[in-house]
Amino acid sequence: MADAKQSSGVRCVIVTPETTVLDTHARFVALPLFDGQRGVGRGHAPFIGRLGAGEVRITGEQGGPADAVRLTFVEGGFVEVSHDAVTVITQRAIPAEKMSLAEARADLEKLQAATATGDEAIAARLQAQETARALVRAAERRG
């Protein structure tokens, strides 16, 4: 029999090709979709969405305070939502406590200094810069 907190929340799993970064239960999950933020709680209508670069916010994690928030930066990918589960599939996920503002800024500067020729290379460079800017913003919020 599942405990009350587990049955009243939503399971959140974040995976990369290498590992499962996070597998927890929470009251609420906010997702950075490519076209804006979307919140998910237990009983949400199922959907599959494309993620943008940004922070997944997990509120009221099992075993913690009800208003505590856990942040994990994701670099795009996809999300599958069912009535009681959120599965995030991404190339890269960085827990907030492992974000480095200095490293994020250095990566952004390196990308801005790089040159690209050809439509595909230019599009890839612009996408990488957008992701790097999102990581800098997330790291700045962490302080």
Side-chain angles (χ1 to χ4, degrees):
M1 182 173 183
D3 70 35
K5 180 116 177 171
Q6 201 171 13
S7 64
S8 66
V10 61
R11 180 178 180 201
C12 181
V13 180
I14 300 176
V15 296
T16 66
E18 294 84 27
T19 189
T20 299
V21 176
L22 181 69
D23 187 350
T24 190
H25 284 81
R27 286 186 311 109
F28 182 79
V29 179
L31 301 161
L33 297 180
F34 80 100
D35 58 352
Q37 292 285 317
R38 187 163 202 188
V40 175
R42 184 166 182 84
H44 195 286
F47 74 91
I48 294 175
R50 189 175 78 179
L51 295 169
E55 293 173 306
V56 174
R57 288 193 258 217
I58 300 163
T59 305
E61 189 172 5
Q62 184 177 6
D67 60 348
V69 176
R70 177 191 285 226
L71 303 172
T72 302
F73 181 85
V74 295
E75 188 178 287
F78 294 92
V79 62
E80 179 184 10
V81 173
S82 67
H83 76 282
D84 64 351
V86 176
T87 304
V88 172
I89 302 165
T90 183
Q91 277 300 113
R92 183 170 76 153
I94 305 169
E97 59 274 6
K98 293 186 179 180
M99 283 186 223
S100 165
L101 180 56
E103 286 178 23
R105 285 183 175 156
D107 288 345
L108 178 58
E109 288 173 12
K110 184 176 165 184
L111 285 167
Q112 288 174 329
T115 58
T117 34
D119 292 343
E120 288 181 22
I122 291 170
R125 179 176 166 253
L126 291 173
Q127 180 62 45
Q129 286 177 340
E130 183 180 323
T131 299
R133 280 189 207 95
L135 182 55
V136 167
R137 284 190 301 273
E140 285 174 340
R141 281 193 293 274
R142 283 284 300 151

